[in-house]
Structures are given as C-alpha cells and as structure tokens.
Amino acid sequence: MDKILPFSGISFFILFFSFILFLYLFKNILKKFIPFSTVLFIAVILYIYFCIPHADKILLFLVYVYAIYWIFVANKYQETIFPMMLIAIPMIIHKMDISPIFKILGISYITFRTIQAMVDSHNYGKLSFIEFTSFLLFPTTLLAGPIDRSYRFQEDLKKGYENLTFSNIGKGWDILIVGVLFKFVFAELVNKFWLSTIDENSVVLLDMINSAYSYTIYLFFDFAGYSAMAVGLSIMIGINVPMNFNHPYLAPNPQDFWRRFHITLGSWLTDYFFKPLYKYLHNFNILKGRRLLIQNLAIIATFLLMGMWNGFTWYFIFSGFLFGIYSAIHNIYVVYVKKGGYDYFTFFPDIIALNLKRFLMLNGAVLALYFFSGRVPL
C-alpha cells in the first residue's frame, strides 16, 4: 500500500471516512463483542503499519516510551525529571540530527503526550497499553497535534460507542469543512499568489515586511486549518480533541495570544514546564523574594523550550526567545500598573486602546514568526 500521511491528500480522507462508515454501520454489532478501545487500537496499528513511512521505528519507539511509562507508573515514582529525560532523549537526538534511527514522524508530539500521561498518572490513573498506543499514535493528531490530554482521551474511549452519534457527525463535519477551506483553499491561495512571489533572500525592507506578513497569514490558515481538520474528523469517531486556535491575531497581549494560538502546546508548556520551573526557582537563595524576576526567568525559559521543540536551528530558538521577551515585558507592565503605576493605554478611549494593543501584539507576532519561518535573509 502507498504511504498515506494524515491530511496529505484525498486518499487519507477516503480511508478515514471508510472507517467512520464502518463504525456507524456496525456499532450495534461491535459493541456486543469488542470494546471500542480495542477497535480503535487495531485501526491505529493497521494505519501506522501500512500507511506511515518507517512504521517499524515508530512502533519500536512506542515500546520504548511505554516501557518507561509503565516502570514509572508501576513503581509510583514521585520525581519525574529522570524518566522525562529518558523519554525526551530520542526527540533531542532527532532534533540534533545525530542519528537516522530516530527519524520518526510525529516524535515531538508523541514525546510531549507521553510525558503528560506519565506526570498525570498520579492524579488520573494509568493507561493500558491499548489506550496508551491509541493516544500516542492517534492518526489525526500524530504529526501536528493538537496535543490532547491522556485522561480526557481515556474518558472518550470509555464512553466508546456512545459518542458515535449523528450529532457528532454534524459537529465534526462543520469543523472539518472550515479546516479544509483554511488549509487547502486560503493557505494555498496565500502561498501561490503572495508568499511564493516574494524573494525571501531580498534585503529590501519592503520585501522583508511583505514576506513577514504573508508568512504570518499563510501559517495561520495552514496550521489552523490542519488543526481544525484533526478536531473535526476526531469528533466524528467520538474523540473530542481540543481546539487549537481561537482568533489569535485579535489578542491584545502575549498572554492572551498564547491562549489563542497553538493553544494545546501553550497549555502543555504551562502545566508541565513553566509551573514546575517557577516552583523550582524559588529554591535559590539569590532569588528569594524576587517573584517577578522568577516569573520572567521561567517565562523566557519556557519560550526557549518552545523554540527548541520546533528544532535546534537558530531561527526557531530566536523566535521563541522573542515571544519570551514579549511575555516578560507584558508581565512587568501588568505588575507595574497593579502597584499603582500609570496605565498609558487609559489615555485613549477603550476601543482605541484595545485596538492599539492588538496592533502592537500582532506586529510583535509577525516579527517573531518571520524569524520562525527561516526566511530572514541573514
């Protein structure tokens, strides 16, 4: 069988809709003999094995991370740093391009989902191997998210056939259509008639500005479209994957931006990196009583990690650093105002102040994403 990557073409949609049709036609028979989680597990394994390149590497990596997860859960380790590092090593090797053995599609998302499942096992219980596999290798979210939470995914597996409703078909279809329009129509139009017409090596200021804005718009339609398609198809088979975008370019500040842009990555980094790091930094005597400094150090470190998660090239890291600086500056300004400092935005009427904030945030995001694109002629 030819390789069929998620959302790579009509073949993927035919394959997925065939599976959806199978589930709805035979759900009343299936639920008498086989759990929904097992049906999904079999479908996931078959898809990975026959449709994804280097499936043997992915399945081997699955066994590796599950072994660490199982040892961690079975022995109820309280310290998570060591097993988290073990899980992350293959991803780091992949990002550093040291060895082809870990050239695995979706390794970043698989790694983050594994860490989340491991850390949250204390509060939400463990996953069986079947649940763990379906969660990590779920086809719609395998390559580019959204980054779901294991306990929420597990709940949908337990509900199983109950979630296979025509209401979910309609809801998922509406979201899917938006995603298709975004990714295969709007993103393609922006790319063909705007982005690809610009000489990315030009050092003319107007060309660089044009390149920055066109890429920012292209990225939104492409990535938000992919995420919406993943959510829509998932809902159709009863898995309620969280939305990943919510009008991010209308955000008035960096904090709100990351509540709207790649939402699941931002929330993952907040819960599993920023909060533990913020707590850990309080242990240093030199930082005692310097809460704002600790917050900003943790913020910048978190965004640096975000940049490195995309890759170890300088433009990914610098883009993350810029977003970290934006967030730290905003944090300082908020604290300043709370302590009685003058809020300079109150000089303007509310509607003007809001749109001025949005203008500043949008252009800050455009600059950071311009570096992220790797199109900066340096």
Side-chain angles (χ1 to χ4, degrees), residues 60-322:
L60 182 61
F61 181 56
L62 169 71
V63 173
Y64 170 78
V65 294
Y66 182 74
I68 298 171
Y69 169 83
W70 185 86
I71 293 171
F72 170 82
V73 173
N75 291 279
K76 298 181 179 179
Y77 287 124
Q78 296 301 313
E79 294 296 330
T80 60
I81 296 298
F82 179 66
M84 285 171 65
M85 291 176 61
L86 289 177
I87 290 170
I89 285 174
M91 180 184 72
I92 294 171
I93 293 175
H94 170 82
K95 300 292 184 184
M96 296 180 68
D97 202 22
I98 294 176
S99 171
I101 190 173
F102 291 120
K103 288 295 182 183
I104 298 170
L105 290 174
I107 190 170
S108 299
Y109 287 91
I110 293 172
T111 299
F112 272 28
R113 281 193 284 262
T114 303
I115 290 173
Q116 178 273 314
M118 182 179 63
V119 172
D120 284 340
S121 63
H122 292 303
N123 297 322
Y124 297 99
K126 64 181 179 180
L127 302 174
S128 68
F129 180 71
I130 286 178
E131 294 169 332
F132 185 86
T133 300
S134 297
F135 173 60
L136 259 62
L137 305 183
F138 192 54
T140 63
T141 61
L142 177 64
L143 299 187
I147 305 175
D148 204 353
R149 300 294 173 96
S150 58
Y151 48 83
R152 198 220 52 73
F153 189 91
Q154 188 180 43
E155 283 299 310
D156 280 341
L157 290 180
K158 290 177 180 178
K159 292 176 183 176
Y161 300 106
E162 296 176 16
N163 282 349
L164 297 178
T165 65
F166 288 109
S167 174
N168 277 340
I169 285 285
K171 180 181 177 182
W173 178 260
D174 289 343
I175 298 173
L176 174 64
I177 290 301
V178 172
V180 170
L181 285 174
F182 274 26
K183 181 170 178 61
F184 295 118
V185 179
F186 299 155
E188 288 301 314
L189 288 174
V190 170
N191 182 51
K192 182 176 181 179
F193 296 106
W194 189 3
L195 181 63
S196 63
T197 65
I198 302 167
D199 179 8
E200 64 181 82
N201 297 312
S202 173
V203 294
V204 176
L205 181 59
L206 287 178
D207 289 339
M208 295 171 68
I209 293 173
N210 197 19
S211 183
Y213 277 95
S214 60
Y215 178 78
T216 298
I217 295 173
Y218 167 78
L219 176 65
F220 169 74
F221 283 126
D222 184 71
F223 197 6
Y226 185 104
S227 295
M229 290 190 298
V231 171
L233 282 182
S234 300
I235 290 174
M236 288 183 183
I237 62 172
I239 303 297
N240 293 288
V241 172
M243 293 297 291
N244 217 16
F245 288 84
N246 180 22
H247 306 95
Y249 298 142
L250 294 180
N253 59 64
Q255 185 179 37
D256 190 46
F257 180 83
W258 288 104
R259 290 173 179 163
R260 297 166 174 264
F261 186 95
H262 208 340
I263 299 168
T264 57
L265 176 60
S267 63
W268 191 99
L269 288 168
T270 297
D271 291 342
Y272 303 103
F273 187 79
F274 172 78
K275 289 180 180 178
L277 178 60
Y278 175 73
K279 182 179 179 181
Y280 174 73
L281 290 176
H282 278 86
N283 296 325
F284 292 88
N285 290 328
I286 194 173
L287 297 176
K288 291 291 185 182
R290 309 180 73 176
R291 181 179 176 185
L292 181 59
L293 177 59
I294 293 174
Q295 285 180 341
N296 289 333
L297 288 174
I299 286 171
I300 293 173
T302 299
F303 279 101
L304 282 172
L305 175 62
M306 179 185 289
M308 288 186 286
W309 179 74
N310 287 290
F312 287 163
T313 49
W314 75 268
Y315 43 84
F316 287 141
I317 297 172
F318 186 71
S319 175
F321 176 72
L322 276 179

